[in-house]
Structure formats: structure tokens, C-alpha cells
Amino acid sequence: MKIGFIGLGVMGRAMVANLLRAGHEVTVWARRAESMQPLQALGARTAASPADCARGMEAVCTIVTTGDDVRQVVLGPQGVIEGAQPGCVLIDHSTIPPSVARDIAAALAARGIDMLDAPVSGGERGAIDATLSIMAGGDAAVFERMKPLLSAVGRTLVHVGPTGAGQVTKACNQLILCAFIEAAAEAARLAAASGVDFGKVREAMLHGSAGSKALELFGGRMASRDFSAGVQSRLHHKDMGIVLGEAVQLGLAMPLSAAVWQQLNALMAQGGGTLDTSALLTVLERQSSPH
């Protein structure tokens, strides 16, 4: 397929490399020209703007940070909507509010352009290994048509429902993940305050009913006190903001989500936005000390 790809962060770079390996023709665009250069060496073409990146393409993939970022590159001046032809499909892999995904899809539909809101889960390792979980909202027939593209970057492909359903699913995913990370941080704090090595506590728990990827990855960083690698906490803070925004709109009581978001707020206030989310442990350490 002829594919445009916008957003060349850690995830985007790896996804483009896998699309190229699968034999797709890929044209890339990023705000920083230097982000495109390594992918040129792999065979990607470069574009001068999002509109240029979309011109003549069967599909355009985006993976940027916020809903406003997606609006800008898709609907803004020199955006995808100005270059894409009717029949093109926008596949947005970003994590954004469901309402924003629906608004963008409606604007594109007026021009004959389809959209899948298809956020991903699996992190940098999943992007590199092409084992991402992809949860998609949009027309089922469009999803089936895009499977050759999606299968080049992901292993688990699920069509969840109509437009916005993919983002709802990602919000649910992030809610559970961030709650698990906070739980791991509280377990680490309890172990340390009790004079017990959390590294050994974690090792024992990994093989019990509390075992999870969150405990394995984020708990491991807590045990080693390496908060520099992994997922920047500012991204999970944004994601939990989406969760709470949906709760407000729908009139839902979500007390656990609210508590986890407040802990992430505290981490942001400490200046920890670029640290891994396992740094939630440091918030607990500041908030209390053992008697």
C-alpha cells in the first residue's frame, strides 16, 4: 500500500520501519526535519507538510501527542484534509479524547475520507517488535480493508465498534494500567517502610495472583530505582485526564481514577513529567514517612 505517516517519536519511528519491512511504500512527515532523516535511509520518502504526506495515499497514519495535535495535522492549514483524496483512510494511532476523534472523523467524512481511531498499546518494545495491540473504532469494512497495514505493526487487531470506540477502549486500558502502577508504588512503599526488600517482594508476587506486566515493568523500575527509562509520566497524566474528562461528560463516579490522577498531578508538580511513571513511588515517599 501507499501510506503516509505523521509523527516520528519513539513509537512512530518503529512503526514506519516495520511498514517498510512489510513492503509498503511510506512517505513520512514530522515537525522536526531531522526526525525524518533516519527513515530516509530505510527507504521512506519525506514530505513537506501533512497535506503533501497525504497526497495520493491509500492511507495516512498519525501518532502524535494530544487531541489538539491531531486536529492541527489533520484539519489545520496544510493538513491531511487538504491533500487526501476521497477514499483515503486516516488511521489515528494517537491517544486522544473519543469526542475529538468523532469530530475529526465527521470533518473528514464530509470530504469522502474515512477514519479509524486506532490507538495502540504495547509501548516502545511492542512497536519495535510489531506486536502492538490495536483497538479500532470506525466502519468495520474499512477496518478489514486496512488489516494488511495494521498487521505490519500489530499482533492483536480488534475492531471494537463505531467511531470513538477505539479511544474509549484505550481510556479503559490506561485507567487499569495507571491504577496498577500506583498499586505497585504503594506496595513498594509498604515493603520499604516494613524493612523488606521490594525487589524480592516483587519477585514473589510476579508468580502469584498479583502478577502483571505493570508489576514486571514498572515495579522493576521501582525496585532498581531507575526512573529514567520507559514511559514519560506526562503521557499517562494526559491519558488519565482523558479518562476523567469522559467521566465528567457521562456523569460517572470513578473514585479510583480520580485518586490516581491526583497522584500523577503531584508527580507533575514535583517536576517529574519526563520521568517514567514508576516515579509515582517518589510521590508517596514525599507524602509520608514511616514511624
Side-chain angles (χ1 to χ4, degrees):
M1 296 176 68
K2 294 184 68 175
I3 301 164
F5 202 104
I6 296 170
L8 302 176
V10 169
M11 301 290 287
R13 287 195 303 270
M15 293 168 78
V16 169
N18 284 323
L19 288 167
L20 290 167
R21 287 191 197 99
H24 298 289
E25 295 180 38
V26 186
T27 298
V28 298
W29 182 86
R31 289 191 178 98
R32 294 185 297 113
E34 58 267 28
S35 299
M36 297 187 275
Q37 291 168 1
L39 294 167
Q40 279 184 283
L42 297 179
R45 299 179 178 89
T46 61
S49 68
D52 184 37
C53 191
R55 204 161 280 120
M57 298 298 160
E58 296 170 69
V60 178
C61 301
T62 50
I63 184 163
V64 292
T65 305
T66 68
D68 286 343
D69 292 330
V70 181
R71 284 187 193 274
Q72 182 66 26
V73 298
V74 176
L75 304 180
Q78 286 297 299
V80 169
I81 197 169
E82 295 186 7
Q85 298 170 337
C88 179
V89 179
L90 177 77
I91 304 175
D92 181 38
H93 294 301
S94 315
T95 299
I96 64 174
S99 58
V100 175
R102 295 182 190 110
D103 289 347
I104 293 171
L108 292 172
R111 301 284 191 93
I113 302 164
D114 290 307
M115 176 176 168
L116 295 175
D117 57 291
V120 298
S121 180
E124 181 180 1
R125 187 75 258 164
I128 292 169
D129 295 340
T131 57
L132 293 168
S133 292
I134 302 177
M135 48 214 84
D139 184 85
V142 174
F143 175 76
E144 289 298 320
R145 200 165 84 241
M146 291 297 109
K147 271 190 173 178
L149 185 166
L150 297 173
S151 62
V153 297
R155 177 179 293 170
T156 304
L157 315 177
V158 181
H159 178 253
V160 187
T163 302
Q167 294 298 346
V168 171
T169 306
K170 184 61 184 288
C172 293
N173 184 87
Q174 300 307 83
L175 185 167
I176 293 173
L177 173 60
C178 291
F180 278 5
I181 299 170
E182 173 64 18
E186 293 186 17
R189 186 72 186 117
L190 176 60
S194 303
V196 179
D197 180 356
F198 177 65
K200 293 181 178 179
V201 170
R202 169 183 165 274
E203 183 182 351
M205 291 195 298
L206 280 173
H207 302 287
S209 56
S212 67
K213 286 186 178 180
L215 182 61
E216 179 183 354
L217 297 176
F218 295 94
R221 292 167 194 151
M222 293 173 199
S224 65
R225 299 197 68 82
D226 179 10
F227 305 128
S228 61
V231 182
Q232 291 189 0
S233 59
R234 65 183 179 86
L235 300 176
H236 282 151
H237 179 255
K238 177 208 72 171
D239 295 347
M240 290 304 294
I242 291 172
V243 170
L244 270 295
E246 290 300 298
V248 170
Q249 288 187 30
L250 297 169
L252 302 178
M254 303 187 75
L256 178 59
S257 297
V260 172
W261 195 44
Q262 288 296 356
Q263 292 297 94
L264 285 163
N265 282 341
L267 182 55
M268 299 305 103
Q270 289 179 193
T274 59
L275 298 177
D276 181 78
T277 309
S278 57
L280 279 170
L281 175 58
T282 66
V283 176
L284 295 170
E285 291 170 340
R286 288 194 179 194
Q287 288 173 340
S288 63
S289 59
H291 294 293

